[in-house]
Amino acid sequence: MTPTITYIKEWQQALQNEIFHLKKFGSNKFLVSNGRLLSNDGSYTYYFDTTGSLRVPVGSTIRLEWGNMKQSGRILSSEGRGVILALEQSFGDLIPKAYLFHDPWELLEQLIQRLDDIKKNKQKRLRVKRLMDPSMPAKHPIEKSKSTVHELVLRSKYNPVTFVWGPPGTGKTYTLARTAANKYFQEKRVLILSHSNQAVDVLISEISTFIKKKERYCEGDVLRYGFHSGELLANNEALTTSQLLQKQDPHLAENKEMLIAERRKLKQDLARSFSKRDTNHLLELETKILKVLDKIRQKEIQFVKDAFVVGTTLAKAASDPAIYEKEFDVVILDEASMAYVPQAAFAATLAKRVIICGDFKQLPPIASSRDPLVTLWLKEDIFHRAGVVDWIKNGRLHPHLFLLKEQRRMHPDISAFTNQYIYHSLVGDHESVLKNRKGIVEKAPFAGRAAILVDTSFTGAHCMSERTSNSRMNIWQVLLSFQLIHESYLGGSMSIGYVTPYRAQANLMELLIEDLYEKERLTADIIAATVHRFQGSERDVMIFDTVDSEPQTRAGMLLTGKDSERLINVAITRTKGKFIHVSNRSFIRKHIYIGKTLQQLVEHQERNLQTVGTGEIGNWIRNQHPRLQWMHALKLENVFLDIEAARSSIVISLPEQSNLSEKWQEKLRFREKGVKLMVFSEEEWAGLQANQMVGASLSFPFIIIDERILWLGLPLEGAKGVQPPYIAARLDSAKVCEYFLGQFLAGE
């Protein structure tokens, strides 16, 4: 068994190595403008306009760069479209434009300091040892267990460490909230922690609602501490420190609001004109605000002391002595599979008992460095590193692992794959889920079907790498997926998610939705994101776009690497009632090993007759969007009308060995006078009389007219590996055309 001190030293080194990597390669960068020197009393205080609200905590260390000059400083205040900084040295009186850098490694440095504290504390070291080596016998009386909640209450009463495995939809929030409430009823002090604000908000809201139902709620006993989204907690009575302050000391709260409103108005005045009197007044206001904030801080510390249930993030807990210097009876760490191992260990040291809850079959923590210690301790979760997962590989559950084994989220046709292939048949469906999801399943597209594979095989070689990031994207599958969103919305679905492994593809879809579906988004919840960003969310309808296809010669690591099972699991399990998988079956068969999860998913969907090929596209596309239309590629009337109507430009891609018909050549050659023709091709095409030849052979044909109309799938003579029925898409979007052309015209 590794000594605890060795663990701590390795964690500190891993965190240092990650900090070193971040310092070398990554900072958050913001443009600031109209900088004005407010004061040079002690430090140099500057006011700047910002393009939007900066989500950088007050007090954070920052770096300002203007031309060749660089300065370190701190954020004094940040709200609305203005920020006040304290810099170490002067940049002069006026700074027209500069860049502000905020470095996210401060949180890692604070965690290193907490690990130093643990080194010096024998009791905390023992708690780390129990977490990392949970080999002590299980002491809870299993025969007394009456329910899932009761068993978790018993486990966490008798054992120092309890691991909870909560696959999607298995009632994790329900179980944890009632366990926390049970501890509260016994007058135990409970700390709720998670890496995300949203997860903390959800749990605190659920706990307070349950306690109120039991009519045992006392104001101030349940506290949401730190930044929160506000939506979930807005309707609850005094759960946050600001709500409590408003109730218990309204004068102090009003004084703060009044001073901040006065400062905001003064900043607006400063933006218009600049006077010494205004500057002095602003600095006086800052001093008053600091005094008020200090009083509020003392109140907040008292709120934390008085509360029995406190919820906050891991980052806040590691940086705020009001949390890390306090002793609790129980810590509940939610979404632990996304926390660094040192964070989980730090959480465990804050209480006599710890409940570690998460799903190690979902995405692991994210770190940037490739250093071996970073890979070992920051890129894998506590379930793996404490040896809990090893038991499952051997066909048994660890004595201290409690599995929530009944899912209530997904229709059984969707969960059938994950239950068997991801969760080793340990998870089943609750009897209610079939009935509860029937309404979603019955809606278009594919009415009556819950799981569908839309196969894009032999529709063209559309997969390419985004120019700046090298992330993959596939314009054909984006348009097809948008059509699925459109059909779902018109079919009555108001909760629709689109996920993909690749950021470039998610960004392209977001661009398309913003342009074509702005109004619809006012009435429906429609989101496009990477799978990583979507973890923790759910939607009625989910579209999972895997992107990869020809002309790529290998599948991307996101779909084949060691974490690909987890990524695909997250993509599927966000779904309630209709899972639509957009994938190129032919490419997957050719380039992904049989044992890989994506290959298994495609085979599973084939066996269960869930596949829809291109030949069926006319059956499920019932509604042509005014700006995205699908038609047979052999019918050329519409594309020729667009070419004839061109007023400024035509761009055409003719891949190698394209054999353009005389009819096409004639239409392009006899275009309107003044319409410039640009041709992407390695051949000369002298007969087209192009204004510009770009000597690049792209993998698929397209036409862009007047930088607004995109035709995809035409000219058909340029398409390779395409099988009938031949489909073309016409998109009317200046935004997409501009972005799309930008991918090919970098050096032109």
Side-chain angles (χ1 to χ4, degrees):
M1 176 62 202
T2 307
T4 305
I5 287 290
T6 305
Y7 279 135
I8 295 171
K9 284 179 179 175
E10 285 196 7
W11 295 338
Q12 288 182 312
Q13 190 58 56
L15 291 164
Q16 285 288 9
N17 294 348
E18 177 69 359
I19 289 168
F20 177 77
H21 179 87
L22 288 172
K23 283 185 174 179
K24 195 173 178 183
F25 296 106
S27 287
N28 293 323
K29 181 179 177 182
F30 305 97
L31 175 68
V32 293
S33 58
N34 301 323
R36 300 179 285 285
L37 180 66
L38 301 181
S39 160
N40 55 7
D41 185 15
S43 66
Y44 294 86
T45 309
Y46 281 87
Y47 168 79
F48 283 93
D49 293 327
T50 58
T51 50
S53 180
L54 301 190
R55 291 290 292 275
V56 180
V58 170
S60 296
T61 304
I62 54 93
R63 185 173 80 257
L64 197 72
E65 294 189 3
W66 180 32
N68 296 323
M69 297 168 72
K70 295 179 184 179
Q71 278 296 322
S72 293
R74 298 190 83 75
I75 298 261
L76 291 184
S77 79
S78 171
E79 75 221 345
R81 291 174 178 262
V83 63
I84 296 178
L85 312 176
L87 300 179
E88 292 167 359
Q89 292 176 316
S90 171
F91 266 14
D93 290 345
L94 296 171
I95 306 170
K97 190 170 88 170
Y99 288 99
L100 185 151
F101 294 85
H102 171 243
D103 304 320
W105 52 79
E106 261 185 297
L107 302 172
L108 303 183
E109 287 171 339
Q110 286 157 350
L111 188 55
I112 289 171
Q113 289 169 12
R114 300 293 75 78
L115 293 171
D116 264 336
D117 300 340
I118 294 165
K119 274 184 191 170
K120 299 165 193 166
N121 187 309
K122 187 178 179 183
Q123 186 186 56
K124 288 183 182 289
R125 291 200 309 273
L126 178 61
R127 289 172 181 173
V128 171
K129 182 182 184 303
R130 286 170 172 167
L131 177 74
M132 296 308 298
D133 179 24
S135 57
M136 52 278 176
K139 293 180 180 175
H140 59 283
I142 191 75
E143 69 283 353
K144 288 187 180 178
S145 172
K146 297 171 190 167
S147 67
T148 301
V149 172
H150 190 224
E151 181 170 344
L152 184 51
V153 168
L154 286 172
R155 280 175 174 269
S156 58
K157 178 183 177 182
Y158 288 94
N159 302 301
V161 178
T162 303
F163 292 92
V164 178
W165 185 10
T170 53
K172 174 175 65 77
T173 301
Y174 176 96
T175 306
L176 292 181
R178 278 148 187 77
T179 301
N182 189 284
K183 303 292 181 187
Y184 165 75
F185 296 148
Q186 296 167 29
E187 297 192 355
K188 303 286 187 193
R189 294 192 178 274
V190 183
L191 177 62
I192 306 289
L193 293 175
S194 179
H195 78 289
S196 81
N197 279 297
Q198 187 191 10
V200 179
D201 288 352
V202 167
L203 256 180
I204 287 292
S205 178
E206 185 83 11
I207 291 164
S208 65
T209 303
F210 179 71
I211 293 170
K212 279 173 192 165
K213 272 186 191 166
K214 296 289 182 185
E215 297 182 350
R216 296 173 72 172
Y217 185 80
C218 184
E219 187 177 277
D221 280 1
V222 180
L223 180 71
R224 172 64 170 100
Y225 185 51
F227 177 84
H228 56 90
S229 64
E231 292 168 29
L232 271 167
L233 309 176
N235 300 325
N236 288 283
E237 293 173 44
L239 279 179
T240 66
T241 51
S242 56
Q243 288 168 336
L244 276 174
L245 187 72
Q246 192 69 50
K247 277 201 160 188
Q248 295 184 15
D249 196 340
H251 176 71
L252 187 60
E254 283 162 19
N255 194 13
K256 174 196 163 190
E257 291 306 319
M258 190 177 70
L259 287 168
I260 284 173
E262 193 178 345
R263 180 175 68 186
R264 195 177 294 124
K265 184 179 181 303
L266 195 56
K267 279 183 177 181
Q268 287 167 353
D269 292 344
L270 271 171
R272 287 191 291 270
S273 65
F274 191 73
S275 74
K276 185 68 178 166
R277 194 180 67 186
D278 284 348
T279 298
N280 291 337
H281 184 34
L282 187 57
L283 292 170
E284 283 169 26
L285 271 178
E286 287 298 334
T287 306
K288 284 180 184 175
I289 288 169
L290 284 172
K291 283 179 182 173
V292 170
L293 289 177
D294 187 54
K295 282 182 186 173
I296 290 171
R297 170 70 182 154
Q298 296 312 312
K299 288 271 185 189
E300 287 182 339
I301 290 168
Q302 194 57 49
F303 291 152
V304 175
K305 275 185 184 171
D306 294 342
F308 277 88
V309 181
V310 179
T312 195
T313 58
L314 281 161
K316 178 78 171 166
S319 63
D320 195 325
I323 300 293
Y324 69 71
E325 288 180 357
K326 197 169 185 275
E327 176 80 0
F328 295 85
D329 295 302
V330 182
V331 164
I332 297 176
L333 174 59
D334 191 14
E335 295 191 344
S337 41
M338 292 189 78
Y340 296 147
V341 172
Q343 286 180 310
F346 158 69
T349 65
L350 299 175
K352 297 164 191 162
R353 303 272 187 267
V354 64
I355 297 171
I356 303 279
C357 183
D359 181 8
F360 45 85
K361 291 287 189 176
Q362 294 192 55
L363 291 164
I366 296 168
S368 301
S369 171
R370 293 184 179 178
D371 172 81
L373 281 178
V374 171
T375 301
L376 181 67
W377 294 118
L378 306 186
K379 291 187 180 180
E380 194 50 277
D381 58 56
I382 186 66
F383 294 94
H384 282 81
R385 292 294 167 250
V388 173
V389 175
D390 293 337
W391 282 64
I392 291 154
K393 290 174 184 171
N394 296 323
R396 291 185 297 160
L397 290 182
H398 190 283
H400 292 289
L401 178 65
F402 180 43
L403 170 65
L404 302 175
K405 56 189 178 204
E406 211 168 42
Q407 77 85 21
R408 298 169 186 242
R409 176 185 293 167
M410 292 167 278
H411 186 281
D413 286 359
I414 302 165
S415 62
F417 177 77
T418 53
N419 288 355
Q420 181 184 344
Y421 287 89
I422 310 289
Y423 294 104
H424 315 292
S425 301
L426 294 167
V427 178
D429 303 320
H430 188 266
E431 58 185 18
S432 65
V433 79
L434 186 65
K435 184 178 75 176
N436 291 348
R437 298 294 173 246
K438 192 178 177 188
I440 304 168
V441 174
E442 292 305 322
K443 291 173 180 172
F446 315 111
R449 301 170 75 175
I452 306 97
L453 166 61
V454 174
D455 181 15
T456 63
S457 301
F458 312 114
T459 52
H462 294 105
C463 190
M464 52 193 269
S465 293
E466 207 254 354
R467 187 167 51 82
T468 50
S469 67
N470 229 23
S471 176
R472 289 186 180 183
M473 59 187 191
N474 185 321
I475 183 75
W476 183 265
Q477 291 193 187
V478 157
L479 296 184
L480 204 59
S481 298
F482 178 84
Q483 185 66 36
L484 290 162
I485 292 171
H486 183 53
E487 298 288 344
S488 301
Y489 175 77
L490 293 178
S493 294
M494 294 291 120
S495 167
I496 307 165
Y498 168 87
V499 289
T500 172
Y502 299 105
R503 187 176 286 121
Q505 187 82 339
N507 291 346
L508 183 55
M509 176 59 89
E510 181 59 30
L511 186 70
L512 190 59
I513 292 172
E514 275 179 10
D515 197 18
L516 269 63
Y517 241 50
E518 191 180 12
K519 281 183 190 167
E520 288 79 359
R521 264 193 166 167
L522 299 174
T523 55
D525 181 9
I526 302 170
I527 188 169
T530 60
V531 180
H532 284 83
R533 269 190 56 210
F534 214 81
Q535 182 154 323
S537 299
E538 61 182 24
R539 292 293 184 281
D540 290 353
V541 178
M542 283 299 301
I543 296 155
F544 175 41
D545 177 359
T546 57
V547 178
D548 283 4
S549 77
E550 287 78 12
Q552 305 296 337
T553 53
R554 61 174 61 186
M557 283 302 292
L558 288 168
L559 293 171
T560 59
K562 77 177 185 70
D563 293 329
S564 57
E565 179 193 70
R566 292 154 102 165
L567 184 141
I568 292 159
N569 183 35
V570 171
I572 298 169
T573 57
R574 305 305 90 207
T575 322
K576 287 183 181 179
K578 197 177 287 276
F579 172 68
I580 306 175
H581 175 200
V582 180
S583 246
N584 188 310
R585 195 166 44 150
S586 159
F587 182 87
I588 287 165
R589 274 212 191 102
K590 199 171 172 183
H591 296 287
I592 293 182
Y593 296 121
I594 287 171
K596 286 290 177 184
T597 310
L598 186 58
Q599 179 76 269
Q600 290 173 332
L601 174 61
V602 167
E603 286 176 359
H604 170 86
Q605 293 196 282
E606 281 179 351
R607 273 197 310 276
N608 289 278
L609 307 177
Q610 294 170 355
T611 305
V612 170
T614 309
E616 295 176 65
I617 196 165
N619 296 333
W620 65 262
I621 293 184
R622 304 279 176 86
N623 302 281
Q624 298 273 21
H625 189 281
R627 292 173 59 192
L628 174 62
Q629 294 169 315
W630 302 83
M631 57 205 76
H632 208 289
L634 296 177
K635 294 178 180 174
L636 300 174
E637 297 90 342
N638 290 322
V639 68
F640 286 165
L641 282 172
D642 278 346
I643 290 170
E644 287 166 11
R647 289 291 167 264
S648 59
S649 65
I650 299 171
V651 179
I652 187 166
S653 161
L654 297 171
E656 61 180 344
Q657 297 175 341
S658 295
N659 181 21
L660 203 56
S661 71
E662 185 53 45
K663 199 173 183 182
W664 269 100
Q665 294 194 46
E666 190 179 296
K667 285 288 174 189
L668 292 167
R669 192 164 52 243
F670 296 114
R671 60 192 180 273
E672 283 286 323
K673 195 176 180 184
V675 174
K676 292 181 179 176
L677 176 65
M678 178 190 290
V679 179
F680 284 92
S681 180
E682 288 184 343
E683 296 174 43
E684 289 189 15
W685 294 102
L688 296 181
Q689 297 172 17
N691 300 84
Q692 186 179 356
M693 293 294 302
V694 181
S697 182
L698 308 179
S699 63
F700 58 95
F702 63 82
I703 306 159
I704 294 177
I705 295 163
D706 291 341
E707 298 179 8
R708 180 176 188 93
I709 307 294
L710 167 67
W711 279 91
L712 205 57
L714 290 173
L716 186 59
E717 293 92 328
K720 297 288 178 289
V722 178
Q723 293 182 4
Y726 303 119
I727 306 297
R730 180 191 189 271
L731 174 69
D732 178 355
S733 170
K735 286 182 180 178
V736 172
C737 287
E738 180 189 9
Y739 173 78
F740 195 55
L741 272 176
Q743 297 305 310
F744 306 116
L745 292 172
E748 296 305 312

